[in-house]
């Protein structure tokens, strides 16, 4: 383009010079220069109009007209850009076509939602799973087509880290799992997957575990009853040792059966049906009575740091089970003479219950799998402690039913911190706490603002 500008200036100077020379010959230099410049300008206007006519046709397939001079250089440059643009457009069209072909082959429904919450594009599986129509539903709001109130709340909440499973709007016998991902400025990608078969298999597994656990309860109760009867009598020492070991294993099996039944009940429903206000300090105090008895031989020191002004709304039995699992785990795995700190506080993010110990800690490679059922960091140590391997799985499911989450921080040789986080909507205020409750809290060292733990476990 620099060369084009120079050639245009050269053309103007040549026309002006030639006109001046002709004017000198005929005796009218000024008039000949004006006529020469007017002719040169008319030629430029003619070439400019050719270019504008080509632009106004708005068809990339029409070639630029042939011309010479500096306008020819400009047309050649535009022609090269046109060919480059065609190649790029062809490449992009092929990519888009390949993307559409590949997504159309997917069994999962893929839907692109624009920043105005309208349907922009979807694949064929969306028609089959969700009942969308290519002609009628284009550009319509997604919440007008997927009207389930649970999906609407999930979509408006804007927190898409976890998927939601709902019946299909087109086929009531199908279970669809929705997962939303943000991209671009404010667009969303909705992936809908048919999980009916997986859910049926999961339900079969849950039913089997629940039925098997229930059937095991009766024989274990009978075995324990006879063992207790035998141990009350005078028997040879080797026989007593064997019966005591049998009684210990029977008790462990009963605990395992109880945990399996509880886990099955938690998995059967993702919502709490009997939500009630819960006095957190009373729940913790009740758990502490059992924890102190369990820790008598090890001489553990307990530090309580409890906010007395806030409680929770939820299912008390489930939360009692979750909190007790965390506290009893700390007692089992903390060495003799160790310190266990139990905290409950409320901030802008919600409510937080934390159990911190100074035990041996857990290697980072184990942390992502700790909430899996029957997963053990150290098989021998877990078996010796009497754990069932289901405690943290129960904690995870209880928190999920209360819309909370569990975070684990641990460092080998420094101890571990298990923190339960609850959303603000289930936090309740204790309006009129009893005076004796405050006295009891003062005796066991309750504090209103656990600033130190906010930094440690947040």
């Amino acid at each position: 383009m620099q060369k084009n500008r120079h050639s245009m200036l050269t053309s103007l100077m040549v026309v002006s010079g030639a006109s001046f020379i002709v004017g000198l010959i005929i005796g009218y230099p000024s008039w000949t220069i004006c006529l020469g410049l007017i002719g040169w300008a008319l030629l430029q206007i003619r070439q400019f109009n050719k270019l504008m006519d080509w632009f106004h046709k708005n068809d990339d397939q029409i070639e630029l007209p042939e011309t010479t001079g500096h306008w020819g250089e400009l047309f050649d440059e535009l022609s090269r850009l046109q060919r480059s643009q065609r190649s790029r457009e062809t490449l992009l069209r092929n990519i888009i076509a390949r993307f559409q072909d590949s997504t159309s082959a997917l069994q999962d429904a893929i839907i692109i939602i624009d920043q105005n919450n309208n349907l922009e594009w979807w694949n064929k599986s969306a028609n089959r799973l969700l009942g969308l129509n290519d002609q009628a539903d284009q550009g319509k709001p997604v919440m007008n087509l997927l009207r389930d109130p649970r999906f609407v709340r999930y979509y408006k909440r804007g927190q898409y880290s976890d998927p939601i499973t709902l019946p299909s709007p087109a086929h009531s016998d199908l279970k669809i799992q929705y997962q939303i991902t943000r991209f671009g400025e404010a667009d969303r990608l909705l992936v809908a997957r048919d999980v009916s078969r997986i859910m049926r298999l999961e339900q079969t597994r849950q039913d089997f575990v629940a039925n098997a656990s229930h059937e095991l309860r009766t024989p274990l109760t009978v075995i324990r009853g006879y063992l207790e009867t035998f141990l009350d009598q005078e028997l040879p020492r080797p026989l007593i040792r064997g019966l005591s070991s049998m009684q210990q294993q029977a008790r462990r099996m009963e605990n395992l059966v109880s945990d399996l039944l509880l886990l099955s009940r938690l998995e059967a429903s993702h919502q709490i049906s009997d939500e009630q206000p819960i006095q957190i300090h009373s729940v913790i105090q009740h758990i502490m009575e059992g924890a102190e008895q369990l820790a008598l031989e090890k001489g553990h020191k307990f530090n309580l740091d409890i906010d007395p002004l806030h409680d929770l709304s939820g299912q008390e039995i489930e939360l009692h089970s979750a909190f007790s699992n965390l506290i009893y785990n700390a007692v089992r795995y903390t060495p003799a003479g160790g310190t266990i700190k139990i905290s409950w506080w409320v901030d802008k993010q919600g409510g937080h219950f934390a159990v911190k110990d100074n035990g041996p800690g857990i290697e980072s490679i184990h942390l992502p799998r700790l909430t899996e059922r029957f997963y053990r960091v150290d098989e021998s140590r877990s078996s010796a402690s009497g754990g069932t391997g289901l405690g943290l799985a129960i904690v995870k499911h209880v928190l999920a039913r209360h819309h909370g989450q569990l975070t684990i921080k641990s460092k080998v040789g420094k101890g571990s911190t298990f923190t339960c986080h609850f959303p603000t909507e289930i936090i309740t205020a204790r309006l009129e706490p009893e005076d004796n409750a405050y006295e009891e809290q003062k005796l066991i060292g309750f504090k209103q603002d656990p600033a130190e733990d906010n930094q440690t476990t947040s």
Side-chain angles (χ1 to χ4, degrees):
M1 297 304 293
Q2 187 71 20
K3 180 181 177 182
N4 185 270
R5 288 196 297 269
H6 290 166
S7 62
M8 182 178 289
L9 180 60
T10 302
S11 173
L12 176 61
M13 293 177 66
V14 168
V15 171
S16 300
S19 300
F20 180 71
I21 293 172
V22 172
L24 289 177
I25 293 174
I26 65 176
Y28 299 99
S30 299
W31 285 101
T32 55
I33 290 176
C34 290
L35 290 175
L37 292 177
I38 290 174
W40 183 87
L42 290 174
L43 179 61
Q44 309 309 312
I45 292 173
R46 181 171 177 272
Q47 299 291 351
F48 177 78
N49 288 336
K50 284 184 180 180
L51 181 61
M52 292 305 297
D53 289 341
W54 178 79
F55 275 123
H56 289 157
K57 289 178 181 178
N58 197 23
D59 189 349
D60 291 342
Q61 302 303 320
I62 299 178
E63 296 292 340
L64 279 161
E66 295 289 340
T67 187
T68 59
H70 53 269
W71 282 100
E73 297 174 9
L74 175 61
F75 283 18
D76 290 343
E77 186 69 24
L78 289 175
S79 181
R80 284 192 293 270
L81 292 176
Q82 183 186 37
R83 289 193 296 270
S84 175
Q85 184 67 22
R86 286 176 183 171
S87 300
R88 181 173 177 79
E89 183 178 346
T90 302
L91 176 62
L92 293 177
R93 287 182 183 275
N94 292 336
I95 292 175
I96 293 175
R98 188 172 179 83
F99 167 77
Q100 291 180 340
D101 291 342
S102 61
T103 52
S104 296
L106 292 175
Q107 296 298 316
D108 299 338
I110 309 294
I111 303 174
I112 296 178
I113 305 170
D114 64 20
Q115 56 186 355
N116 297 319
N117 302 321
N118 298 327
L119 300 184
E120 185 173 334
W121 179 90
W122 59 88
N123 63 351
K124 294 181 180 179
S125 295
N127 298 337
R128 176 175 56 86
L129 295 177
L130 306 179
L132 299 183
N133 185 284
D134 291 335
Q135 287 75 30
D137 297 333
Q138 183 70 37
K140 288 187 177 180
V142 61
M143 287 177 285
N144 287 3
L145 301 172
L146 304 177
R147 300 180 180 180
D148 192 305
R150 292 166 292 182
F151 176 82
V152 174
R153 288 195 300 269
Y154 174 74
Y155 186 86
K156 290 183 176 180
R157 189 165 64 243
Q159 299 176 0
Y160 307 132
S161 56
D162 296 322
I164 183 173
T165 303
L166 300 169
S168 168
H171 309 280
S172 58
D173 57 329
L174 296 182
K175 296 293 183 181
I176 304 297
Q177 183 184 78
Y178 298 95
Q179 177 73 67
I180 298 177
T181 304
R182 298 180 184 273
F183 73 97
E185 294 184 359
D187 298 328
R188 293 175 175 87
L189 178 69
L190 172 62
V191 179
R193 177 177 294 113
D194 182 5
V195 294
S196 304
R197 181 175 179 273
I198 296 176
M199 293 194 68
R200 285 194 295 268
L201 292 175
E202 181 66 16
Q203 186 61 47
T204 302
R205 182 192 63 80
Q206 293 177 12
D207 293 342
F208 170 77
V209 172
N211 293 334
S213 301
H214 184 75
E215 293 299 325
L216 285 173
R217 263 189 161 180
T218 300
L220 284 173
T221 302
V222 173
I223 291 173
R224 278 199 61 192
Y226 277 111
L227 289 173
E228 290 175 358
T229 302
F230 294 152
L231 288 172
D232 288 339
Q233 303 176 12
E234 293 185 2
L235 298 172
R237 181 169 298 179
L239 189 57
I240 292 178
R241 188 184 306 113
L243 292 175
S244 299
S245 178
M246 293 169 62
Q247 186 184 42
Q248 180 183 2
Q249 294 301 319
R251 186 180 296 111
R252 183 183 174 193
M253 286 295 296
E254 281 192 328
N255 293 336
L256 177 60
V257 168
S258 298
D259 284 351
L260 284 172
L261 288 172
L262 175 58
L263 198 56
S264 297
R265 287 195 296 270
L266 294 175
E267 291 178 333
S269 174
H270 298 286
Q271 302 293 332
I272 303 173
S273 58
D274 52 347
E275 185 175 301
Q276 298 292 334
I278 303 169
Q279 292 186 344
I280 292 297
H281 74 284
S282 299
V283 173
I284 296 175
Q285 189 66 30
H286 185 266
I287 297 172
M288 286 302 303
E289 295 176 359
E292 289 171 351
Q293 293 295 323
L294 186 63
L296 282 179
E297 296 182 358
K298 292 186 175 182
H300 289 151
K301 180 182 178 182
F302 291 92
N303 292 332
L304 299 182
D305 198 352
I306 311 299
D307 179 358
L309 301 180
H310 295 91
D311 286 328
L312 273 178
S313 179
Q315 221 289 335
E316 183 171 351
I317 296 178
E318 295 180 9
L319 290 175
H320 184 282
S321 177
F323 293 170
S324 62
N325 271 301
L326 294 179
I327 295 176
Y328 291 162
N329 280 348
V331 173
R332 290 190 185 100
Y333 301 130
T334 301
T339 301
I340 299 172
K341 186 170 185 177
I342 301 168
S343 308
W344 161 255
W345 73 96
V346 175
D347 56 22
K348 293 181 180 180
Q349 284 71 41
H352 314 274
F353 173 81
V355 178
K356 181 181 180 181
D357 62 66
N358 60 351
I362 306 169
E363 294 183 9
S364 58
I365 60 173
H366 298 293
L367 296 183
R369 300 191 59 190
L370 283 181
T371 56
E372 296 180 9
R373 61 188 70 195
F374 300 115
Y375 182 80
R376 300 180 187 275
V377 176
D378 186 340
E379 183 69 29
S380 59
R381 187 183 70 171
S382 300
S383 300
S385 66
T388 64
L390 297 173
L392 292 180
I394 291 174
V395 173
K396 182 182 73 172
H397 281 83
V398 169
L399 293 180
R401 284 166 56 84
H402 289 78
H403 308 290
Q405 60 179 350
L406 175 69
T407 59
I408 305 173
K409 293 184 178 181
S410 185
K411 189 173 182 180
V412 176
K414 299 292 184 179
S416 306
T417 302
F418 293 78
T419 308
C420 304
H421 305 279
F422 298 93
T424 54
E425 54 263 26
I426 66 171
I427 305 299
T428 59
R430 297 185 64 211
L431 299 178
E432 297 180 358
E434 299 178 357
D435 294 337
N436 60 349
Y438 275 102
E439 294 300 325
E440 292 175 1
Q441 293 163 9
K442 292 178 182 178
L443 290 176
I444 59 177
F446 280 20
K447 298 178 183 178
Q448 182 173 343
D449 185 17
E452 178 184 354
D453 261 20
N454 282 345
Q455 299 175 359
T456 304
T457 62
S458 59

